[in-house]
């Protein structure tokens, strides 16, 4: 107090010279949620007739039907997942002479668990929590063991062999028509014991733990089938447009959930409204720096889902969504949804298109990775981007 | 245990001692070694002990020289050995306690007093002795344990041992034993003692497994070759001659070792002894090995072999290669009811008799024998074999510990080793149990660390409290004057709108940019004054005109219900308002005549349409500022302002002409004599307005009437009336009136709204894509966006939110449209905007939004980026979460491209720094 007064001027820190370490005091700055038309409806009452969205709705449902995995695919995945789960469960309960690692728990995660698998992508995910630390050798040992046991099972049922290949996330068990990714992680308290050269990567390990939280959250909050429909549509859309590709499945899950469920009535919105809303939110900067974005329910307070993207990706994603929004507004949803290929498979979000004489042009990126770090620096300093800074 | 048996073999067969006195003596000495410890044993058996001691003393006295004394003792012991079985262990203990004092060369004045009364029969002693020896080999381990604890206990609870035993002589003897030991070391004969002491020190631990009264096997010993061999028992070396031996004894190395041994014997041994139960010990070399493998290696080793050779030469008992198992010392509570110990350490120099401690109570012997299961080798997977060309394993590499071995045995040992297990625990299996070696040093470090943490925590807590207070205060001051700086100029004659209370949010860079831009586009004081003056004059002139018209009309309108006195009105003037600067309707109707409509002549309370229904007979009822002027949205360079005059009836061209004709006269009248403004009045019949211009400011005065809104009322005929002003223009003027009122009621009160609308007006003026957005629609949009925000927005946030709304497709075709709140029907304020314009506007807003998000708000606002402000707080207060693209970015680069500012900034920084240092 006295110190501050002595210095005078409000630009001069009251404690600038104290050299206090940065972690002393949590400092929270809540960021604003973006403008959301659904939530802002009282301020913008509709004054013209609602557009006829039947065409869009039809297109959305049609595309969704295409994206759903066929029963054959589903049963193939189910079969191998069940077997693998059996094998792993046995290892948890009775490891026997298996000493490469100790397993704590085995959980199904990801799109298979959530019921949002896409046609043609028959890969289920299973997270294995090791009690021991996940060394590469342990993963290899587990992979071999699982492969051996699983093959025994398969032989017993007269099915084809499976093969197992290790990678940096764990290993993948591949059968004839389906595959299961076994994602290795370890107990939470072991996380800080990880060493980069001995064990699997810390980020990978913790992302697998997060995957468990995600599927649990999903089970509890996002079981509405509209959400799953929207997730499939969005994932497909994101996969087909380069700018939206970096969006992770988790971001899409959260976005879909937000678009369907987060409205004043708390009732699921129709799919066409939700689809427009998701594009509109993305275009409105939901995933841009300085925006509250979507809070990640599975992380510590104030963490935002989209901060996993780097700045260039955030910019690109927003720009792509903005172009797509205008294309959809002009009636180009068939291209956006992928029901119709655009000019030989070109990315519609990067092309100038003409709709009934209205020219829709893509946007230039705003983010420049310039040596002058004004973009990021400033944001960091006064935006306190990530909520808790301290 | 076998080792122990062998070691103390003499205890059993007394006859053998007879034959080989020397060897027996040695054996006895080994037994002795424990004597000092044994002295700590119980007092319960004191009497018996004293008797035991008695004989020992006598024997000692009988012999000349220490060596002889020892022999004698041994002899005596041997003779009486047969009796030992019957003797109580307790006796033995006491005897041991007494022994040290028996050393002839040591002057022990206290000895006599304590021990003498007890002297009685040699037989007893022999018994004791034998017993002691046997016990020593048999069940001494518990005794050791108790001794150990007793000594430590004595240290920590000094009062305990001294209370009860005060009357007991044994204690004194024991204490003296210590000093006896010291002196003994310098005695030539003490070599035996020393050997006993160290050997015994280890030896105690040997006994853990032997049952009470176990009968040890004596191992035949070779005859000692040379008695004169100078052997240092502490260091386990032999010296060539007395001279060297003496030198050795005086040497640093020996003293060190001796001190260590002493400490160990006195109970300090705890540290070293307390190691894992799995530790194995080579008695002979006094070496502790961590495992069976290590022990095996040691036994094979050259050092061990040397000692064995030496001992063989000396004819000393060689314990079997069977390792001694170390068990952690047993803890006894000091001052336990039955057992009390006295600090031991007194090494008897000569005491040839049993010195192996024995516990008095059986319970003490039952020491839990935790047999540590053999450690399982772990981490086989992490040892890779390096094979030669022939496929034979050449060497092994442990990846966990990063070490190599050539020998498979070494590999095995490594895998069982502590270091490897620790690594395994650390890197593979966190719950693996690894015995931790408690090191005094480490513990001290940990304690010190904990202490430091404690102190620091407290310090921080205190500092935090302190700072919380300071912070609040600072925030208060900052919050208080946050807007003060940039905003003072807004409060100008009612042109600016009030701002709601502001939060304590820090000013962001966006805010600063918006405010800077706002300051830039905000009209200068002079312009505002010019406009103010012109408008004020026009309003006054209009009122004057209205009065004149009313006066003129009165004679015609004989039916005038109200008596109007112009004089009254003039009187009213000072009280009422002089013009419409509060942006409300400036009613021309005087107080008296407007009584039914509104009691207040100033007309502020009356709504726009209020006077309509009144009894007013005036043609011109009032004037109101509309548009930019009323909303306070004037920007730098704006010269055109609008006034709307409400007429009683449909405004006609005739009326307009009359106004245009008479206005100059009234203008000159209201204008002060010293004001030289020249007003030019221009008739614009097509617009239904007159324009008053003073060269710089154009005031457009539109005539309208509320009656124009009701077309039903014989509209057809009236519309045909050529004299009436264009209907659309009149309606527009009316709408402008309503818009102004809406704005004042709804938009102006929203935080940041007026600022943002000004900014947006500037944007619409500058950028072609934005031009189609009509001002009213833009105002609706901005106010809607502000309104939908959950809380007050800072200027930067507000601008961004507007862009978000537009970028999200608010004005695209499928959007809800902008409902005009000033119309009864659903009217889209933006209904006439063509699709391409909407598209372009949306695209532009989208680009702007991303530019704002990426710190390029200056591009949106078309201005130079502002230099970065030095934050009120240090940079470290906002730890960066995002990786910076340029790590060496410091203050210089923070400034963006404000190169000019750089030097200034630097100066600022240094100034701040120097301030901070003060």
């Amino acid at each position: 107090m006295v110190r501050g007064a002595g210095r005078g001027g409000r630009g001069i820190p009251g404690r600038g010279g104290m050299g206090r370490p940065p972690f002393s005091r949590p400092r929270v700055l809540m960021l604003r949620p973006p403008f959301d038309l659904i939530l802002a409806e009282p301020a913008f009452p509709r004054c013209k007739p609602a557009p006829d969205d039947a065409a869009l709705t039809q297109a959305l449902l049609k595309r969704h039907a295409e994206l759903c995995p066929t029963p054959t695919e589903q049963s193939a995945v189910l079969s191998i997942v069940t077997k693998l789960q059996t094998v792993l469960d046995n290892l948890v309960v009775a490891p026997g002479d298996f000493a490469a690692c100790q397993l704590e728990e085995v959980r199904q995660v990801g799109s298979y668990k959530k019921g949002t698998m896409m046609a043609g992508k028959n890969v289920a995910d299973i997270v294995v929590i090791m009690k021991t630390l996940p060394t590469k050798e342990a993963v290899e040992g587990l992979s071999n063991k699982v492969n051996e046991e699983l093959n025994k099972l398969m032989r017993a049922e007269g099915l084809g062999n499976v093969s197992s290949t290790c990678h940096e996330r764990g290993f993948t068990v591949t059968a004839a028509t389906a595959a299961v990714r076994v994602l290795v992680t370890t107990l939470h308290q072991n996380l800080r014991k990880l060493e980069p050269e001995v064990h699997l990567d810390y980020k990978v390990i913790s992302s697998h733990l997060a995957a468990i939280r995600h599927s649990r959250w999903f089970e509890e909050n996002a079981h509405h089938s509209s959400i799953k429909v929207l997730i499939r549509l969005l994932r497909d859309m994101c996969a087909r447009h380069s700018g939206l590709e970096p969006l992770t499945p988790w971001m899409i899950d959260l976005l879909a959930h937000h678009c369907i469920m987060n409205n004043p009535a708390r009732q699921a919105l129709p799919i066409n409204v939700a689809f427009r809303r998701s594009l509109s939110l993305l275009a409105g900067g939901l995933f841009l720096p300085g925006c509250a974005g979507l809070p990640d329910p599975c992380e510590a307070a104030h963490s935002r889902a989209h901060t996993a993207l780097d700045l260039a990706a955030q910019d690109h994603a927003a720009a792509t969504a903005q172009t797509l929004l205008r294309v959809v507004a002009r009636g180009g949803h068939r291209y956006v949804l992928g029901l119709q290929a655009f000019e030989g498979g070109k990315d519609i979000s990067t092309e100038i298109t003409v709709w009934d004489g209205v020219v829709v042009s893509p946007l230039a990126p705003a983010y420049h990775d310039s040596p002058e770090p004004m973009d990021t620096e400033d944001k960091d300093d006064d935006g306190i981007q990530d909520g808790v800074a301290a | 245990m076998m080792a122990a048996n062998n070691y103390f073999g003499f205890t059993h067969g007394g006859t053998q001692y007879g034959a080989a006195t020397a060897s027996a003596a040695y054996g006895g000495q080994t037994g002795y070694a424990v004597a000092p410890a044994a002295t700590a044993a119980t007092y319960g058996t004191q009497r018996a002990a004293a008797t035991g001691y008695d004989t020992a003393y006598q024997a000692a006295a009988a012999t000349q020289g220490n060596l002889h004394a020892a022999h004698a003792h041994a002899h005596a012991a041997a003779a009486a050995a047969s009796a030992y079985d019957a003797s109580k262990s307790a006796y033995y203990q006491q005897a041991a306690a007494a022994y040290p004092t028996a050393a002839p060369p040591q002057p022990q004045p206290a000895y006599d007093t304590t021990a003498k009364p007890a002297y009685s029969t040699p037989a007893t002693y022999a018994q004791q002795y034998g017993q002691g020896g046997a016990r020593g080999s048999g069940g001494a381990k518990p005794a050791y344990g108790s001794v150990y604890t007793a000594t430590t206990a004595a240290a920590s609870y000094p009062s305990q041992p001294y209370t009860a035993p005060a009357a007991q002589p044994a204690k004194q003897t024991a204490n003296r034993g210590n000093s006896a030991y010291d002196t003994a070391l310098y005695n030539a004969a003490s070599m035996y003692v020393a050997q006993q002491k160290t050997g015994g020190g280890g030896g105690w631990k040997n006994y853990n497994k032997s049952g009470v009264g176990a009968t040890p096997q004596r191992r035949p010993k070779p005859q000692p070759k040379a008695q004169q061999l100078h052997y240092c028992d502490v260091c386990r070396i032999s010296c060539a001659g007395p001279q060297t031996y003496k030198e050795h004894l005086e040497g640093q190395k020996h003293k060190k070792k001796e001190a260590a041994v002493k400490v160990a014997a006195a109970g300090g041994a705890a540290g070293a002894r307390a190691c894992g139960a799995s530790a194995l010990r080579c008695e002979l070399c006094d070496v502790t090995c961590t495992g069976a493998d290590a022990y095996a290696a040691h036994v094979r080793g050259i050092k061990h072999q040397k000692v064995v050779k030496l001992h063989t030469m000396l004819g000393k008992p060689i314990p079997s290669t069977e390792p001694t198992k170390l068990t952690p010392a047993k803890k006894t509570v000091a001052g336990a009811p039955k057992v009390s110990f006295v600090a031991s350490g007194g090494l008897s120099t000569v005491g040839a008799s049993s010195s192996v401690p024995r516990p008095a109570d059986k319970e003490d012997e039952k020491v839990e024998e935790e047999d540590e299961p053999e450690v399982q080798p772990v981490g086989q997977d992490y040892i890779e074999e390096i094979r030669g060309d022939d496929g034979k394993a050449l060497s092994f590499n442990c990846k966990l510990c990063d070490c190599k071995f050539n020998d498979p045995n070494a590999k095995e040992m490594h895998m069982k080793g502590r270091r490897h297990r620790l690594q395994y625990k650390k890197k593979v299996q966190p719950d693996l149990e690894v015995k931790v070696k408690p090191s005094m040093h480490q513990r001290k470090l940990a304690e010190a660390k904990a202490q430091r943490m404690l102190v620091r925590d407290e310090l921080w807590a205190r500092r935090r409290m302190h700072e919380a207070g300071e912070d609040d205060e600072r925030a208060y001051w900052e919050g208080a004057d946050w807007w003060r700086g940039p905003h003072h100029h807004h409060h100008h004659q009612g042109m600016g709108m009030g701002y709601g209370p502001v939060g304590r949010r820090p000013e962001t860079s966006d805010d600063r940019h918006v405010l800077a831009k706002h300051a830039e586009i905000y009209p200068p004081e002079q312009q505002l004054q010019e406009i103010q003056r012109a408008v004020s004059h026009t309003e006054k002139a209009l009122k004057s005109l209205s009065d004149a018209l009313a006066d003129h009309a009165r004679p015609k309108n004989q039916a005038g219900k109200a008596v109007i006195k112009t004089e009254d009105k003039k009187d009213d003037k000072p009280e009422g308002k002089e013009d419409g600067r509060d942006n409300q309707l400036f009613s021309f109707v005087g107080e008296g005549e407007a009584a039914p409509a509104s009691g207040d002549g100033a007309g502020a309370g009356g709504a726009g349409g209020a006077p309509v229904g009144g009894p007013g007979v005036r043609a011109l009822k009032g004037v109101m500022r509309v548009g930019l002027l009323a909303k306070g949205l004037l920007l730098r360079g704006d010269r055109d302002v609008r006034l709307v005059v409400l007429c009683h009836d449909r405004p006609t061209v005739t009326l307009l002409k009359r106004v245009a004709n008479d206005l100059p006269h009234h203008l000159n009248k209201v204008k002060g004599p010293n004001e030289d403004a020249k007003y030019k009045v221009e008739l614009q019949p097509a617009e239904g307005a007159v324009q008053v211009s003073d060269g710089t400011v154009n005031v457009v005065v539109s005539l309208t009437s509320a009656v124009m809104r009701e077309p039903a009322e014989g509209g057809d005929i009236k519309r045909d009336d050529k004299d009436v002003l264009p209907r659309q223009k009149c309606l527009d003027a009316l709408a402008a009136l309503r818009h102004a009122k809406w704005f004042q009621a709804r938009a102006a009160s929203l935080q940041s709204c007026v600022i943002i609308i000004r900014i947006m007006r500037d944007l619409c003026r500058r950028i072609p894509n934005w031009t189609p957005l009509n001002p009213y629609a833009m105002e609706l949009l901005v106010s809607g966006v502000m309104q939908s925000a959950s809380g007050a927005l800072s200027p930067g946030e507000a601008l961004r939110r507007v862009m978000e709304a537009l970028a999200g497709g608010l004005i695209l075709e499928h959007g809800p449209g902008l409902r005009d709140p000033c119309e009864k029907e659903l009217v889209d304020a933006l209904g006439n905007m063509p699709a391409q314009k909407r598209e372009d506007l949306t695209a532009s807003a989208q680009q702007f939004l991303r530019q704002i998000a990426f710190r390029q708000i200056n591009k949106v606002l078309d201005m130079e980026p502002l230099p970065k402000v030095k934050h009120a707080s240090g940079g470290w207060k906002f730890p960066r979460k995002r990786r910076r693209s340029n790590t060496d970015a410091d203050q210089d680069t923070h400034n963006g491209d404000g190169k000019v500012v750089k030097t200034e900034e630097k100066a600022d920084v240094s100034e701040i720094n120097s301030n901070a240092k003060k």
Side-chain angles (χ1 to χ4, degrees), chain B residues 773-789:
Chain B
L773 190 62
N774 72 57
Y776 180 54
M778 186 265 287
E779 288 157 20
L780 282 177
L781 175 81
V782 173
S783 73
V785 169
M786 302 293 133
Q787 207 184 319
S788 64

Side-chain angles (χ1 to χ4, degrees), chain A residues 142-190:
Chain A
L142 182 63
S143 165
N144 293 336
K145 179 74 178 174
V146 164
N147 199 18
E148 178 191 321
E149 295 286 326
L150 198 56
N151 272 325
K152 267 188 223 161
L153 269 181
M154 297 293 270
R155 266 196 298 277
E157 292 190 26
L159 298 168
N161 268 5
V162 298
S163 63
S164 161
T165 46
C166 287
H167 46 80
E168 73 277 3
R169 306 182 75 89
F171 55 94
T172 303
V173 178
T174 320
T177 50
V180 182
R181 276 196 302 175
V182 179
L183 309 169
V184 173
T185 186
T186 184
L187 292 175
H188 209 270
Q189 61 265 33
N190 290 345

Side-chain angles (χ1 to χ4, degrees), chain A residues 193-236:
Chain A
K193 293 174 187 152
L194 297 178
E195 287 173 23
E197 64 276 7
V198 184
H199 305 116
L200 298 189
D201 188 33
Y202 175 84
K203 277 190 178 165
V204 170
I205 296 283
S206 44
S207 77
H208 294 166
L209 281 180
I212 295 175
R213 295 195 294 272
H214 294 171
S215 30
R216 198 178 295 159
W217 175 86
F218 195 91
E219 239 178 325
E220 288 164 10
N221 298 287
H223 44 73
H224 198 286
S225 47
S226 286
I227 299 176
K228 295 178 185 173
V229 171
L230 187 59
I231 288 174
R232 282 205 184 90
L233 290 166
L234 290 179
R235 281 177 71 177
D236 170 63

